[in-house]
Amino acid sequence: MAKGRRPAGALETEVLAALWAATEPMTPAQVQESLRAELAYTTVMTILTRLYEKGAVSRERVGRAYAYAAVLDQSGIAAAQMRALLDRGDDRTAVLARFVDGLSGDDERALVELVRRAGRQHPAGNGRPGAGESSG
C-alpha cells in the first residue's frame, strides 16, 4: 500500500462516522468540511454515492445538491458487508461453513440462538427475503 493511503473501506467508515455524529442530513460539502482531511469534493461525492447505492445512507434533495443521512448503524453496516461477501462467493454453503468453522464457542452459540429465533419468526422461511432461494 502506498504511503498515506487508507485501507480499503476506511474512507466509507470515516464518512459514516461524520454522518452518525451529525444531528441532521449533511451535504457533501458539509461532510468534506467535517472530515478535516484533504479529500477532494469529488471523492466525498463518490463515497456518498456508493454508500447510497449500498443502502447505508439515505439522501434528499436540498437545492442543487443532496443531503445524506446514515440509515444503518455499525452493526447494520457490518451485516451488509457480510451479505455482500457471501453474495460474491460461488458456493454459499461453503462460504458459510468456513465462516462458522472460524467462530468462537460463544459466537457459535449466539449464532445458533439467532437462527433458532429467526426460524420461529419465519416458519419454513415464509416471508423472509431470499429464504429458500438458490444463488446460482
Side-chain angles (χ1 to χ4, degrees):
M1 180 175 356
K3 183 180 177 188
R5 294 209 20 113
R6 292 169 177 83
L11 285 177
E12 286 186 1
T13 301
E14 290 176 35
V15 167
L16 282 167
L19 294 174
W20 287 324
T23 57
E24 58 188 35
M26 297 174 75
T27 64
Q30 291 169 321
V31 172
Q32 180 188 27
E33 182 179 322
S34 75
L35 293 176
R36 295 190 177 96
E38 292 186 21
L39 291 177
Y41 177 84
T42 54
T43 300
V44 174
M45 270 296 313
T46 298
I47 294 164
L48 287 166
T49 300
R50 287 182 184 159
L51 290 169
Y52 175 75
E53 290 169 353
K54 293 178 182 181
V57 300
S58 63
R59 70 182 182 192
E60 60 186 56
R61 184 67 80 172
V62 177
R64 293 177 52 200
Y66 283 107
Y68 295 82
V71 295
L72 295 177
D73 60 8
Q74 289 177 317
S75 297
I77 296 293
Q81 290 170 336
M82 291 167 68
R83 280 190 300 275
L85 288 170
L86 182 60
D87 288 344
R88 284 200 294 257
D90 291 336
D91 183 345
R92 294 173 76 88
T93 301
V95 172
L96 287 168
R98 293 275 178 114
F99 175 74
V100 170
D101 284 346
L103 293 176
S104 69
D106 287 343
D107 287 343
E108 189 173 336
R109 283 185 287 280
L111 182 59
V112 167
E113 176 60 20
L114 290 168
V115 169
R116 186 181 64 76
R117 278 193 237 155
R120 237 189 359 246
Q121 292 172 359
H122 307 285
N126 293 335
R128 239 172 59 204
E133 293 176 8
S134 172
S135 66

